[in-house]
Amino acid sequence: MRLLPRSLLWRTFLLLALLMVLSVVAWFAIFRSYEREPRARQLAQTLVSVANLTRAALISARPEARIELLRDLSDREGIRIYPADAADRITPLPDRAFLHLVEENVRQQMGPATRLTLEREGERALFVSFRIDDSDEGNYWLALPSERIERVFPLGWLGWGVAALLLSLCGAWLIVYRITRPLKALQQAARQVGAGETPARLDESGPTELATVAGAFNQMSTDLAQIDQDRALILAGISHDLRTPLTRLRMGIEMSADESQREGMTADVEEMDKTIGQFLDFARSEGGEAAQQVDLAALLLEIATQYRRRGFRVELAAPVGASPAPTLAGAVSVRPQALRRAISNLIDNALRYAGSESAVELGLGTAAGEFGIEVRDSGPGIPPQDVERMKRPFARLEAARTNSTGAGLGLAIVERIARSHNGHLELLPRPGGGLIARLILRPLNSSAISVP
């Protein structure tokens, strides 16, 4: 299970988002670090000023008026004065750099004997000691509300910071999206080229680098389409020009009196005509044929019936591990003529290499939104190391399949038709000897295979 996305869009966006969050956290830490010392000096100065003013007020007040002064300080300013004693139970300051910095600044101004604490005799407040005179009774505690040192978190600033972060992330998303959108279009166009199709021209606007890549791809796609058209035109022209003299030869052979020579020459002419037909099929590919809804089971039955009428043993059977053919009576979107050509090529190969007297089985099944057509024969098969090579044009394997004829384009045509249906061709050894040619295809429409 992948926890991180693999797309460039999400990976770049998450990286930018992480960098922005770390940047905000770093700036916040820097702000706290540089703001701590000025705030500590400010609080220390406040404590020193309050202590000095309170001491001055106590010293200058008449003894009988001091109690009223202390009550007034408590009611108006929240300041309380307590006599200090060496036996007072106080709690040491917590291990916080800010409070120790305040204590250090206070002692610099009020003397090293000054004490600070947050709890005295069970009462919580900000206590600072000060002296009125040098006598033992001249020590006092000045208690300020603890709210004086507690810093209220600025929620307003937090909201603005979150808003700025979200705006930055939205901007990062737009930047990354403008970069990855042309790359996504380039990926889809490359897949179309790989499937033998000509994609629409890519948009060449935007950043210079992406526009250059899009322009180069458009030029490559145009060149490939032109080369494919030229190749098809050349093959079609050569094949057409060859069929005219072949027709004359056939007519001359039919008029020949020598029966043995006539049969041999007729077989050669038919083989040449079949080779030319393979060239035409390879040049045509899918030939721009539109997709149609086709009943695959009926199509296989029709092809098998045609071969049986010609005296070949072509039977229908369900492939191993897949749904049987009768359950596939629904229509599937395919190019019917191209698919018929591919199945016929596989059957012809099976009959040629396994022998015209042997049985050839056709199977049909579905799995995971795909449908598979199998052609099984009992011939010599193909070694696994040569399977991929045999799908290339003009490839032959004389050692495994003897008495080879034709141009070596049959499997190449089938592979090309399979790719035009978003599928592929598999050549597998058959248990007990033989070959299984499995045509794995996907419906040209994105809907699933229709089953009644």
Side-chain angles (χ1 to χ4, degrees):
M1 179 179 179
R2 294 193 302 266
L3 298 179
L4 294 177
R6 299 187 59 184
S7 65
L8 177 63
L9 172 63
W10 279 106
R11 285 193 172 188
T12 308
F13 174 74
L14 291 178
L15 176 60
L16 291 177
L18 179 61
L19 291 177
M20 289 180 180
V21 172
L22 292 178
S23 177
V24 171
V25 173
W27 278 110
F28 181 71
I30 293 173
F31 172 77
R32 289 194 61 185
S33 176
Y34 281 90
E35 181 263 353
R36 181 188 299 121
E37 185 172 352
R39 190 162 66 92
R41 286 200 302 267
Q42 182 181 9
L43 179 58
Q45 186 62 46
T46 300
L47 291 175
V48 172
S49 299
V50 172
N52 289 335
L53 291 174
T54 303
R55 178 172 54 188
L58 290 175
I59 293 175
S60 61
R62 298 189 309 274
E64 63 273 11
R66 288 180 178 179
I67 297 178
E68 185 65 26
L69 174 63
L70 295 178
R71 184 181 299 111
D72 190 58
L73 288 175
S74 177
D75 294 339
R76 293 176 179 271
E77 301 295 334
I79 301 174
R80 299 183 300 277
I81 306 298
Y82 301 97
D85 189 88
D88 289 340
R89 291 183 293 105
I90 63 174
T91 302
L93 288 176
D95 190 15
R96 289 164 57 183
F98 173 75
L99 292 176
H100 289 288
L101 191 59
V102 172
E103 183 181 30
E104 179 181 351
N105 281 273
V106 170
R107 286 179 174 176
Q108 287 178 356
Q109 300 184 53
M110 298 181 62
T114 305
R115 295 181 293 172
L116 262 72
T117 182
L118 295 180
E119 184 175 348
R120 171 190 170 276
E121 298 294 337
E123 179 183 358
R124 293 192 59 82
L126 177 56
F127 292 90
V128 57
S129 65
F130 69 97
R131 299 177 63 88
I132 294 180
D133 51 41
D134 294 334
S135 64
D136 294 337
E137 291 79 12
N139 291 331
Y140 290 89
W141 285 108
L142 173 67
L144 294 177
S146 58
E147 291 79 8
R148 298 288 181 92
I149 63 170
E150 292 178 356
R151 187 179 182 185
V152 179
F153 193 81
L155 295 179
W157 285 103
L158 177 63
W160 282 110
V162 172
L165 179 61
L166 291 179
L167 288 176
S168 301
L169 292 178
C170 290
W173 173 270
L174 291 177
I175 294 173
V176 176
Y177 179 73
R178 282 182 57 84
I179 295 175
T180 57
R181 183 178 60 178
L183 296 179
K184 188 70 174 180
L186 179 63
Q187 175 190 5
Q188 296 175 352
R191 287 181 176 177
Q192 289 180 317
V193 171
E197 303 175 3
T198 301
R201 289 186 62 85
L202 297 176
D203 185 12
E204 297 183 18
S205 62
T208 303
E209 294 80 1
L210 295 177
T212 302
V213 173
F217 185 88
N218 288 333
Q219 184 62 44
M220 180 195 70
S221 178
T222 302
D223 294 342
L224 289 177
Q226 186 62 44
I227 291 173
D228 193 62
Q229 292 177 3
D230 294 343
R231 175 188 57 79
L233 182 61
I234 292 173
L235 288 176
I238 294 175
S239 302
H240 180 271
D241 293 341
L242 287 177
R243 274 189 166 169
T244 300
L246 283 178
T247 302
R248 291 197 298 266
L249 283 174
R250 186 180 287 109
M251 293 177 61
I253 292 171
E254 293 296 333
M255 298 173 61
S256 175
D258 192 337
E259 183 69 22
S260 60
Q261 290 184 358
R262 183 167 59 192
E263 291 179 356
M265 295 175 68
T266 300
D268 291 340
V269 170
E270 290 179 352
E271 184 61 35
M272 293 173 65
D273 187 68
K274 186 178 297 184
T275 300
I276 292 173
Q278 285 188 338
F279 274 102
L280 288 174
D281 290 342
F282 187 74
R284 247 191 325 261
S285 184
E286 67 272 4
E289 181 185 2
Q292 301 178 19
Q293 296 291 325
V294 176
D295 188 334
L296 295 181
L299 178 63
L300 287 186
L301 180 60
E302 178 186 347
I303 294 175
T305 301
Q306 291 176 355
Y307 275 91
R308 283 198 293 265
R309 288 174 182 171
R310 294 161 52 190
F312 299 109
R313 296 173 56 193
V314 179
E315 307 293 340
L316 293 178
V320 177
S323 302
T327 65
L328 293 174
V332 178
S333 179
V334 294
R335 297 185 177 97
Q337 295 303 323
L339 186 58
R340 184 189 299 271
R341 190 181 309 125
I343 297 172
S344 298
N345 279 348
L346 293 178
I347 295 176
D348 290 340
N349 282 344
L351 293 173
R352 180 181 298 117
Y353 298 118
S356 58
E357 300 298 327
S358 62
V360 175
E361 296 181 358
L362 300 181
L364 178 62
T366 64
E370 299 176 337
F371 61 90
I373 299 174
E374 291 188 357
V375 178
R376 311 172 193 162
D377 65 53
S378 55
I382 299 177
Q385 66 271 17
D386 293 321
V387 166
E388 293 302 321
R389 184 177 66 85
M390 292 303 298
K391 298 178 185 179
R392 301 172 186 170
F394 310 108
R396 291 176 176 273
L397 190 65
E398 300 291 345
R401 290 178 174 255
T402 56
N403 301 322
S404 298
T405 57
L409 291 173
L411 294 179
I413 294 172
V414 176
E415 174 69 13
R416 199 170 187 186
I417 293 174
R419 288 172 58 191
S420 71
H421 286 78
N422 303 320
H424 60 279
L425 173 65
E426 295 180 353
L427 301 175
L428 308 172
R430 185 180 183 182
L435 181 73
I436 298 177
R438 181 180 298 158
L439 196 60
I440 303 295
L441 309 174
R442 285 184 175 271
L444 293 181
N445 55 1
S446 59
S447 59
I449 297 176
S450 173
V451 178

